[in-house]
Amino acid sequence: MRQSAIFYVVITTILLVAVAVMVFYNLSYELIFYTVLAGQAWWLLTVYKVLTDDYSTDKTFDDWYEDHPVGRD
């Protein structure tokens, strides 16, 4: 099953929150260090997946924002 790019973004966010929680609770340095290393590697993978995601849309800059459409004259 092919994962969408948002999956990688969610996992990256979870890793970031996990590091913050581990620092707050003063967990072992090694655990925090290796989680940060894993997070950085996952972040690089996320950037690659987002940039190479096969996503297309029919929207253009003329459509403005979806939540505030501007009528065409």
Side-chain angles (χ1 to χ4, degrees), residues 55-67:
Y55 176 79
S56 61
T57 182
D58 58 351
K59 302 284 184 189
T60 64
F61 285 108
D62 292 334
D63 294 324
W64 201 244
Y65 295 103
E66 275 191 30
D67 62 343

Side-chain angles (χ1 to χ4, degrees), residues 32-43:
I32 296 169
F33 178 74
Y34 290 120
T35 305
V36 167
L37 284 181
Q40 290 174 352
W42 190 266
W43 177 77

